Amino acid sequence: MLTLAARRVARIGGAVRAPAATALSRAGFADDAAAADAAAFNPASGLVMPRKVAVIGAPVASGQGLDGVDDGPQILREQDIRGKVTDLGWRFEDLGDIEPVRPSATDPADTPPGHKARHAFAVGRSCERIAKAVKAAADDGSFVLTLGGDHSIAAGSLAGVLASRPEAGVVWVDAHADINTPESSPSGNVHGMPVAFLMRLAKAASTPGFEWLAEGNELGVPALLPSRIVYVGLRQVDVGERTLLRKLGIKAYDMHAVDKLGIARVMEEALDHLAGKAGARPLHLSFDIDACDPSIAASTGTTVKGGLNYRESHFICEELARSSLLSSMDLVEVNPRLGAAKEDGGKTAAMGVELVSSALGLSVL
């Protein structure tokens, strides 16, 4: 059964309080918002009018080994995400945080022979809760914004999206491919495996905690097809992942491709692949903040030099917004306890909220 912390309340500043009533940000803005709704609306996105953003916090940290990433939803809310969203004409509903399942000594064994998936039971059960919350919000016609937490949460958020919008395509922005299986993973960290579980390359039925995602599951989650995901920004891919990407023919743009082609062409090709020749469909953006260069997003657990710069990061989000097909998004791996300087956590969170704004239609003109 789905458990939301204190049932649809927001955990902000360490306290639990009910979210403020949904409203447009300022008097006299309603007409402008309605006009923006009409201009940007595309029924193929799966959204309904009036446009509403439903925020779900996913403070899951068990998919990796560093403390602090579970503070991500809180610090992102503290950057006035509500105000920035409503200023763009969207209605806003904060559904609070799912209550993550914590690893326990009594959990079923995570590691059969040759199988490495640390804290799989806790992560899998947490993702099930996320999936149910996301599906409910997507069924309501909302733009679902899931705030992590580590990237393992995408096994839940994207499962919920696919259960509601089975034709959805995915833009995965990340320094890493996150397509390791428990057998191929060098670390055993589940935040490097969500795509494998969603594609059923990893055996959910035999992985404690992930049984709910197996073929024929009650939630109605279809397998993510290799043709319906595009990677952007890769720069640290494990050997087993590289083999899978090539074998499955998955469209992937590493940073060499971004440098060579330019981010405009990369996004043009990505959108054509997902929603051009294949026809318009809902799009989901899974944005790991470590896709950004550490110079602009230092507070994350797996920084890799040579990432997306400020404008490249925003351009991805802007182009998806302009497609009028973007209907859900993850923002993950913001860890305010990391970074060389005290202020890095706030700066990284601010960058994340700026990216959300761009994905929801913020533009200069």
Side-chain angles (χ1 to χ4, degrees):
M1 181 177 179
L2 173 64
T3 303
L4 284 177
R7 293 297 300 171
R8 296 162 72 94
V9 298
R11 284 182 11 181
I12 300 180
V16 177
R17 67 171 177 81
T22 300
L24 290 174
S25 58
R26 53 184 178 269
F29 195 58
D31 291 343
D32 291 342
D37 277 354
F41 179 69
N42 187 331
S45 68
L47 303 181
V48 299
M49 292 180 66
R51 299 180 306 164
K52 180 177 72 176
V53 174
V55 173
I56 296 169
V60 176
S62 303
Q64 47 82 67
L66 297 173
D67 292 335
V69 73
D70 48 332
D71 295 332
Q74 175 178 321
I75 195 170
L76 289 164
R77 287 185 176 106
E78 289 172 355
Q79 297 295 319
D80 190 28
I81 195 168
R82 174 187 293 273
K84 290 178 171 61
V85 169
T86 56
D87 279 349
L88 293 169
W90 292 79
R91 286 143 183 88
F92 185 96
E93 184 177 18
D94 193 333
L95 299 177
D97 291 349
I98 65 102
E99 187 66 39
V101 176
R102 310 291 181 183
S104 166
T106 61
D107 289 347
D110 293 345
T111 53
H115 189 279
K116 292 179 292 183
R118 296 176 65 248
H119 306 311
F121 182 78
V123 174
R125 286 288 178 248
S126 298
C127 285
E128 182 180 16
R129 295 176 177 183
I130 296 166
K132 290 178 179 179
V134 169
K135 181 181 185 300
D139 284 348
D140 191 43
S142 295
F143 183 108
V144 189
L145 175 61
T146 308
L147 305 176
D150 68 57
H151 216 163
S152 68
I153 70 152
S157 61
L158 190 44
V161 167
L162 290 170
S164 180
R165 302 163 182 164
E167 299 298 314
V170 182
V171 178
W172 194 279
V173 183
D174 201 331
H176 312 90
D178 294 348
I179 197 172
N180 268 308
T181 66
E183 292 77 19
S184 71
S185 172
S187 69
N189 289 332
V190 181
H191 75 159
M193 306 180 192
V195 178
F197 277 107
L198 290 161
M199 287 189 178
R200 301 198 178 127
L201 303 171
K203 299 178 179 64
S206 59
T207 304
F210 279 92
E211 299 91 343
W212 63 274
L213 194 50
E215 188 172 358
N217 60 84
E218 293 183 3
L219 200 58
V221 182
L224 175 63
L225 301 178
S227 61
R228 291 189 184 166
I229 185 170
V230 176
Y231 286 99
V232 179
L234 296 176
R235 57 192 187 280
Q236 191 175 67
V237 179
D238 294 325
V239 173
E241 293 180 304
R242 190 179 302 119
T243 299
L244 279 173
L245 292 176
R246 290 172 176 169
K247 178 181 177 181
L248 297 172
I250 294 174
K251 201 166 191 66
Y253 296 90
D254 62 6
M255 285 306 299
H256 176 83
V258 172
D259 291 341
K260 182 177 181 178
L261 301 175
I263 197 64
R265 181 171 165 188
V266 166
M267 289 308 298
E268 180 182 359
E269 291 183 3
L271 287 167
D272 184 60
H273 176 77
L274 290 172
K277 299 171 186 175
R281 57 164 45 96
L283 296 178
H284 175 84
L285 171 61
S286 197
F287 202 117
D288 188 325
I289 203 71
D290 75 18
C292 302
D293 191 78
S295 63
I296 58 171
S299 292
T300 186
T302 48
T303 55
V304 187
K305 293 179 181 178
L308 298 166
N309 65 30
Y310 184 87
R311 277 303 308 148
E312 289 167 339
S313 302
H314 277 278
F315 189 89
I316 292 167
C317 299
E318 290 163 358
E319 285 299 287
L320 286 167
R322 286 170 180 263
S323 76
S324 299
L325 294 173
L326 187 65
S327 59
S328 51
M329 178 178 179
D330 310 320
L331 182 64
V332 302
E333 298 283 0
V334 174
N335 188 334
R337 300 190 202 177
L338 301 178
K342 184 178 180 180
E343 63 271 17
D344 282 343
K347 288 181 177 179
T348 303
M351 176 68 182
V353 173
E354 288 177 17
L355 293 171
V356 170
S357 297
S358 288
L360 291 173
L362 179 66
S363 61
V364 175
L365 300 176

